[in-house]
């Protein structure tokens, strides 16, 4: 039962073209834990990735295959070679850098270029899955062909619950975590010619990188690995052979193991940073109220991590720049990259743009970024890549997106990728949304993400469905999973027109397998009460401006810094209270770290044309770290036993007369590279043009009619950071701008 789409994508791939898979009801991109409920599709997915992973970068003999995992990953950066001999037409220097990746970071087309890139990878995996399905014996071939037919690439949403925790007014941060399939070193698969389940290295955990010898033998260019300060590969002794995440001092992936200084692995980092990550997403998608905030709703402000005019000597703090609105899709995306890549002594692949595409988590993360783009389009349908190019870049909606070709003469452009219905997301769905439909989408966003921005317990609409019961996953549990009857259908929420509905993908009639081992199912938390869980706000955190509007004063630390100041990716950590400078590797997991700005930048050893241009122009990176994820904990009215020291709970309210002197005393920041090395040389910080400033903005809390709430005008408080190294005015009195 082959899909009607298979000939299209197979023909396109043979010609090295990209053809989007047109979605059907039986096809949808779902979250990775939802994806695992379909054992047959998961089995094919893992086998397809394994088949794309061979050390030999060529398909067979001397015939080049540009659709291996290695070749597709190299499009994002290194090695310095052309994909399918397609030149980068955006190279401003006559192809001087055309063979060093097709990077679009910091670009107006950053979201749309990656949208086509994900469609390309999805096409490659789908074709591999279809080929493998056809290899199964006749008695099982039909079910695997059906599984291949309904495949769409899963996404990884880092803000959904992964673990069950007791219900309370303040959620236990261990509710978050890493999807188990991304943390499992081995998985179980059923091969076409095998009679038993086989335990294999998990292709979603790590990728073995082809050696220099193999690459040279096949006429391919080896990777010139990004270097650290000692001119050693930044990914360490292990990272040059296989991908790693949050590496420990030995260079191995560190998920949650105990180190010499305590736990510092990826799972704890995700848990500690979840509220900051969620609040940033909320600010990115929320409604803003005033005319002065129109800039927030431009495509430019949404799409990339800098605005026109915010470059080096042209930067003017007297402009109408709104710091509280400087969170972009790209900065949110950058944070996840750096969260996965930041290690202790070494850098994980996800933390460097030039090699991030070699980590399988890259593809699931970017699929989620593309989903957020689709949600933004549904909320703000009139916003898109401008039709005319801006002076700085010349990019517009019809600029070619290299190296992605639709046919021999036509490259993809942003307009070609605009209709998200061709991508089959479960949310926001397959239809353009009218006003009533957008209201339903806002309700979905409120239910799924607002709770985590407040660190309150998830509402029943979430807690009854997440975390997912993965005990029936054969990939994770082998025979024990096979012993649990598989579901007859996969269900998930989708927005169809104006209604939020439960969409069903019907699977083949399950066939129970012999019980070899029994594993108890993990029960999800469910509640009979369908009202939302109440959030208890400490006295002094809320105010009424006029009934029935209830507002909270929100506070933000704005971060401006030259993107390439530290020769690679780096983190600007924001703290309330004392900083333990002896253990920078633990900063990101400390309770008093409010959050971080994750600057995702390549080093000089990866001179892509786009990177070279931005480096020369001194592009200023913009981000913002929400402070309200922590400030209420310092109110006098907070009597919870868990939290900051009682002697620091001195705030009477969140109004400026109380918060400003508090932050002048307690707000601190530090910078590290992604190997957790402190970047604290004063002159280097001054040269980086780091400017941390504090802003406040009233936020009207969500109501039944306005589920996203509404942000009101913002105000800067220069005195909080002025005169400090890296504070307002770059810490030098003669460079402070006044307004």
């Amino acid at each position: 039962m082959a899909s009607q789409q298979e000939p299209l994508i197979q023909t396109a791939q043979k010609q090295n073209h990209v053809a989007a898979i047109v979605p059907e009801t039986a096809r949808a991109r779902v979250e990775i834990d939802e994806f695992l409920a379909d054992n047959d599709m998961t089995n094919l997915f893992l086998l397809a990735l394994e088949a794309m992973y061979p050390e030999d970068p060529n398909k067979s003999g001397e015939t080049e295959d540009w659709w291996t995992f290695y070749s597709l990953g190299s499009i994002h950066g290194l090695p310095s070679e052309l994909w399918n001999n397609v030149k980068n037409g955006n190279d401003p220097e006559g192809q001087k850098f055309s063979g060093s990746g097709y990077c679009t970071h910091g670009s107006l087309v950053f979201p749309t270029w990656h949208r086509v890139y994900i469609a390309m990878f999805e096409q490659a995996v789908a074709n591999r899955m279809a080929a493998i399905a056809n290899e199964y014996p006749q008695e099982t071939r039909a079910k695997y062909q059906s599984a291949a037919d309904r495949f769409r690439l899963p996404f990884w949403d880092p803000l959904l619950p992964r673990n069950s925790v007791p219900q309370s007014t303040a959620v236990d941060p261990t509710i978050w975590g890493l999807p188990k399939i991304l943390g499992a070193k081995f998985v179980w698969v059923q091969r076409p010619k095998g009679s038993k389940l086989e335990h294999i290295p998990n292709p979603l955990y790590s990728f073995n990188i082809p050696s220099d010898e193999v690459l040279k033998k096949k006429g391919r260019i080896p990777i010139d690995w990004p270097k650290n300060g000692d001119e050693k590969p930044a990914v360490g002794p292990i990272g040059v052979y296989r991908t790693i995440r949050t590496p420990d001092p030995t260079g191995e992936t560190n998920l949650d193991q105990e180190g010499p200084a305590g736990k510092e692995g990826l799972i704890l980092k995700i848990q500690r940073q979840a509220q900051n990550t969620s609040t940033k997403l909320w600010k990115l998608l929320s409604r803003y109220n005033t005319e002065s905030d129109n800039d927030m709703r431009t495509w430019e402000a949404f799409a990339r991590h800098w605005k026109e005019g915010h470059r080096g000597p042209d930067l003017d703090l007297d402009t109408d720049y709104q710091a509280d609105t400087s969170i972009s899709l790209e900065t949110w995306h950058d944070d996840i990259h750096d969260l996965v890549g930041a290690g202790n002594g070494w850098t994980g692949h996800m933390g460097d743009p030039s090699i991030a595409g070699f980590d399988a988590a890259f593809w699931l993360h970017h699929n989620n970024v593309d989903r957020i783009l689709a949600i933004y389009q549904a909320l703000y349908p009139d916003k898109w890549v401008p039709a005319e190019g801006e002076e700085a870049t010349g990019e517009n909606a019809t600029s070619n997106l290299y190296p992605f070709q639709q046919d021999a003469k036509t490259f993809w452009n942003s307009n070609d990728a605009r209709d998200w219905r061709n991508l089959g997301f479960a949310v926001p769905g397959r239809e353009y949304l009218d006003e009533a439909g957008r209201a339903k989408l806002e309700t979905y966003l409120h239910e799924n993400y607002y709770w985590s921005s407040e660190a309150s317990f998830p509402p029943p609409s979430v807690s009854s469905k997440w975390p997912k019961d993965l005990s029936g996953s054969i990939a994770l549990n082998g025979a024990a999973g096979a012993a649990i009857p598989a579901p007859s259908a996969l269900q998930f929420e989708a927005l169809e027109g104006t209604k939020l509905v439960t969409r069903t993908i019907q699977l083949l009639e399950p066939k129970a397998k012999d019980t070899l081992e029994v594993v108890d199912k993990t029960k999800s938390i469910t509640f009979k009460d369908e009202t939302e869980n109440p959030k208890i706000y400490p006295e002094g955190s809320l105010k009424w401006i006029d009934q029935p509007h209830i507002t909270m004063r929100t506070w933000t630390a704005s971060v401006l810094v030259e993107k390439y100041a530290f020769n690679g990716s780096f983190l600007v950590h924001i703290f309330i209270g004392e900083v333990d400078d002896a253990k920078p590797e633990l900063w990101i997991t400390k309770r008093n770290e409010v959050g971080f700005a994750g600057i995702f930048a390549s080093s000089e050893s990866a001179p892509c044309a786009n990177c070279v241009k931005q480096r020369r122009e001194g592009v200023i990176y913009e981000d913002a770290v929400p402070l309200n994820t922590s400030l209420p904990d310092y109110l006098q009215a907070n009597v919870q036993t868990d939290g900051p020291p009682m002697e620091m709970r001195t705030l009477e309210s969140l109004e400026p007369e109380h918060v400003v002197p508090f932050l002048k005393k307690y707000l601190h920041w530090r910078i590290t590279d992604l190997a957790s090395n402190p970047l604290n040389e004063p002159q280097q910080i001054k040269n980086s043009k780091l400017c941390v400033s504090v802003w406040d903005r009233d936020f009207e809390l969500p109501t039944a009619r306005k589920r996203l709430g509404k942000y009101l005008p913002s105000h800067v408080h220069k005195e909080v950071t002025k005169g400090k190294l890296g504070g307002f005015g770059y810490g030098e009195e003669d460079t402070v701008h006044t307004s």
Side-chain angles (χ1 to χ4, degrees):
M1 79 184 269
S3 166
Q4 294 179 351
Q5 292 302 319
E6 283 179 8
L8 171 65
I9 62 175
Q10 289 173 357
T11 299
Q13 190 159 313
K14 289 177 182 178
Q15 299 170 346
N16 291 326
H17 300 156
V18 180
I21 305 173
V22 179
E24 304 161 359
T25 303
R27 296 172 180 258
R29 291 178 175 177
V30 296
E31 214 279 334
I32 183 63
D33 278 359
E34 293 175 312
F35 185 92
L36 292 178
D38 190 332
N39 280 319
D40 294 336
M41 186 166 63
T42 299
N43 186 71
L44 286 178
F45 179 52
L46 295 171
L47 289 176
L49 289 178
E50 181 193 49
M52 294 170 67
Y53 275 21
E55 186 181 44
D56 187 338
N58 291 348
K59 184 176 181 180
S60 60
E62 296 303 314
T63 303
E64 288 184 311
D65 177 20
W66 294 108
W67 297 83
T68 64
F69 188 85
Y70 174 80
S71 292
L72 293 174
S74 69
I75 291 174
H76 201 257
L78 293 172
S80 300
E81 64 181 358
L82 300 176
W83 187 87
N84 187 34
N85 298 312
V86 175
K87 294 182 178 180
N88 186 353
N90 291 326
D91 184 348
E93 301 194 13
Q95 310 306 320
K96 181 177 180 181
F97 299 108
S98 62
S100 55
Y102 304 85
C103 161
T104 60
H105 299 94
S107 161
L108 289 177
V109 298
F110 161 79
T112 52
W113 185 91
H114 283 85
R115 169 168 283 182
V116 184
Y117 193 25
I118 289 298
M120 179 191 214
F121 184 77
E122 183 176 56
Q123 172 181 301
V125 176
N127 281 333
R128 292 276 184 165
M129 289 175 62
I132 294 171
N134 292 334
E135 296 175 3
Y136 281 86
Q138 187 172 357
E139 58 270 22
T140 57
R141 187 178 305 153
K143 76 166 184 173
Y144 284 112
Q145 288 176 332
S146 176
D149 191 55
R150 59 181 176 264
F151 167 75
R152 299 308 303 272
L153 187 69
F155 59 86
W156 167 34
D157 185 342
L159 299 174
L160 288 173
R162 304 294 168 186
N163 304 297
S164 298
V165 298
Q167 183 183 10
S168 65
T169 54
V171 71
D172 183 334
T174 59
I175 194 172
W176 294 291
L178 185 72
K180 288 183 173 58
I181 194 68
L182 292 181
K185 293 183 178 181
F186 295 89
V187 288
W188 295 93
V189 295
Q190 181 72 57
R191 295 193 185 279
K193 297 181 180 180
S195 59
K196 297 180 180 180
L197 291 174
E198 184 178 336
H199 215 205
I200 67 168
N202 180 8
L204 289 172
Y205 181 81
S206 187
F207 165 61
N208 290 332
I209 298 163
S211 66
D212 289 356
E213 291 74 21
V214 168
L215 292 169
K216 291 176 181 178
K217 183 179 179 181
K218 297 298 182 180
R220 305 292 288 271
I221 299 175
I223 298 174
D224 182 12
W225 291 100
K227 305 297 193 298
N228 61 18
D230 297 328
E231 290 302 307
K232 296 179 180 178
V235 294
I238 295 174
V240 296
Y241 301 107
R242 55 180 166 83
T243 54
I244 52 176
R245 300 166 187 160
T246 56
D248 63 19
T250 71
E252 282 286 3
T253 289
N254 181 359
L255 296 181
D256 63 354
Q257 60 262 39
E258 194 84 21
K263 283 193 174 183
E264 52 185 285
L266 178 56
I267 292 174
L268 183 60
K269 290 178 179 179
I270 291 172
Q271 293 168 348
R272 289 282 192 263
Q273 295 293 333
Q275 191 180 0
N276 174 62
T277 304
S278 181
T279 304
K280 283 189 171 186
L281 179 62
W282 193 257
K283 285 179 173 286
L284 173 66
L285 297 174
S286 286
R287 304 289 184 184
Y288 287 74
N289 187 45
T290 67
E291 285 298 316
S292 64
D293 282 330
N294 284 341
D295 283 348
M296 173 56 187
R297 296 276 72 91
T298 65
W299 174 261
E300 176 195 25
F302 166 78
R304 70 181 181 199
H305 52 221
W306 64 277
K307 296 188 183 74
E308 179 65 10
H310 284 193
R311 293 183 291 167
D314 299 328
L315 181 66
D316 184 1
L317 298 182
D318 289 335
T319 64
D320 59 351
Y321 168 65
Q322 295 289 320
D324 202 22
T325 65
S326 63
I327 297 169
S328 66
L329 179 66
E330 187 168 15
T331 58
W332 191 89
H333 142 276
D334 291 354
D335 282 356
I336 304 301
H337 267 284
D338 287 346
L339 194 67
V340 178
N344 182 355
W346 308 103
T347 300
H349 294 73
M350 274 284 279
D352 189 306
S354 64
I355 53 176
F358 296 134
D359 189 328
F362 169 94
W363 302 98
L364 275 61
H365 166 51
H366 267 279
N367 202 13
N368 189 46
V369 172
D370 197 14
R371 168 177 164 267
I372 295 171
L373 168 60
I375 290 172
Y376 173 84
Q377 289 181 256
L379 292 173
Y380 308 101
D382 59 325
K383 307 301 180 185
W384 191 242
V385 184
E388 297 183 3
E390 61 180 1
E391 182 179 350
T393 65
E395 297 162 341
N396 59 47
T398 57
S399 298
N400 289 340
L401 303 177
Y402 299 101
F404 313 125
Q405 292 180 270
Q406 298 188 59
D407 54 49
K409 298 182 179 180
T410 310
F411 285 92
W412 280 81
N413 64 40
S414 297
N415 281 344
D416 297 328
R418 184 168 188 172
D419 189 348
W420 75 78
R421 294 176 299 178
N422 291 338
L423 301 169
F425 290 105
V427 174
R430 297 172 57 207
E431 300 179 11
Y432 284 117
L433 302 173
D434 56 19
E435 198 61 39
R438 284 192 289 275
K440 294 288 186 181
L441 179 55
E442 289 185 8
T443 297
Y444 167 86
L445 292 172
H446 181 271
E447 291 179 349
N448 282 269
Y449 299 108
Y450 188 64
W451 65 273
S452 53
S453 72
E454 289 192 313
S456 59
F457 200 79
S461 58
V462 174
S463 60
S464 62
K465 300 170 183 174
W466 295 89
K468 294 299 181 183
D469 179 0
L470 300 178
S471 60
S473 168
I474 295 176
L476 290 174
N477 304 305
I484 297 174
S488 60
L490 174 63
Q491 292 187 333
F492 52 91
E493 287 186 328
L495 200 63
E496 296 284 4
T498 61
K499 296 180 179 180
L500 192 68
V501 301
T502 298
R503 183 185 289 176
T504 301
I505 294 179
Q506 196 68 39
L507 309 180
L508 289 181
E509 190 66 29
K511 181 180 179 181
K513 303 204 173 181
D514 293 337
T515 301
L516 302 178
E517 183 181 353
V518 178
V519 177
D520 291 337
K521 290 186 177 182
T522 302
K523 302 295 183 181
S524 298
I525 304 171
T526 58
F527 302 99
K528 294 181 180 179
D529 181 6
E530 289 300 318
T531 60
E532 291 192 24
N533 297 308
K535 165 69 176 178
I536 298 178
Y537 294 92
E539 181 182 349
S541 59
L542 300 179
K543 62 179 181 177
W544 282 257
I545 50 174
D546 60 323
Q547 296 290 353
H549 299 299
I550 305 175
T551 68
M552 170 182 282
R553 182 82 69 172
T554 65
W555 294 82
T556 298
S558 165
V559 177
L560 296 174
V561 66
E562 197 166 296
K563 177 178 177 181
Y564 295 98
F566 297 101
N567 194 29
S569 299
F570 59 98
L571 307 178
V572 180
H573 306 261
I574 304 297
F575 298 91
I576 293 180
E578 294 300 318
V579 181
D580 184 357
D581 286 318
K583 298 179 180 179
E585 70 276 8
L586 297 183
W587 285 348
I588 202 169
T589 61
K590 287 294 185 182
R591 293 182 183 273
N592 72 322
E593 176 171 309
V594 183
F596 68 88
I599 292 78
F600 187 52
S602 62
S603 66
E604 292 181 359
S605 63
C608 69
N610 182 43
C611 306
V612 169
K613 183 174 184 292
Q614 291 182 25
R615 187 179 289 111
R616 288 174 178 172
E617 294 175 344
V619 163
I620 299 294
Y621 189 100
E622 301 183 24
D623 198 5
V625 177
L627 300 178
N628 271 64
T629 56
S630 294
L631 274 177
D633 294 339
Y634 295 90
L635 287 164
Q636 293 177 355
N638 178 21
V639 295
Q640 299 294 323
T641 56
D642 190 29
M646 298 301 292
E647 61 270 19
M648 289 185 62
R649 303 184 193 188
T650 59
L651 285 174
E652 295 181 34
S653 74
L654 295 183
E655 294 305 296
E657 60 267 27
H658 299 127
V659 173
V660 168
F662 177 85
L663 291 179
K664 286 180 69 174
K665 181 177 181 181
Y666 290 116
L667 186 70
H668 302 282
W669 53 88
R670 299 288 190 274
I671 309 173
T672 61
D673 63 18
L674 258 65
S676 297
N677 298 307
L679 302 171
N680 53 15
E681 201 280 313
Q683 190 58 51
Q684 190 178 24
I685 294 176
K686 290 179 181 180
N687 293 343
S688 76
K689 299 182 176 63
L690 174 65
C691 175
V692 177
S693 58
V694 171
W695 300 65
D696 82 82
R697 182 190 286 270
D698 276 343
F699 174 59
E700 288 186 9
L701 298 183
T703 64
R705 296 185 62 185
K706 297 180 179 180
R707 303 303 280 161
L708 294 185
K710 184 170 61 179
Y711 284 96
L712 303 178
S714 63
H715 311 88
V716 66
H717 298 276
K718 305 174 186 177
E719 65 274 26
V720 174
T721 64
K722 187 176 179 180
K724 297 180 180 180
L725 181 63
F728 193 91
Y730 311 137
E732 296 180 289
E733 290 295 325
D734 58 352
T735 61
V736 173
H737 299 263
T738 58
S739 60

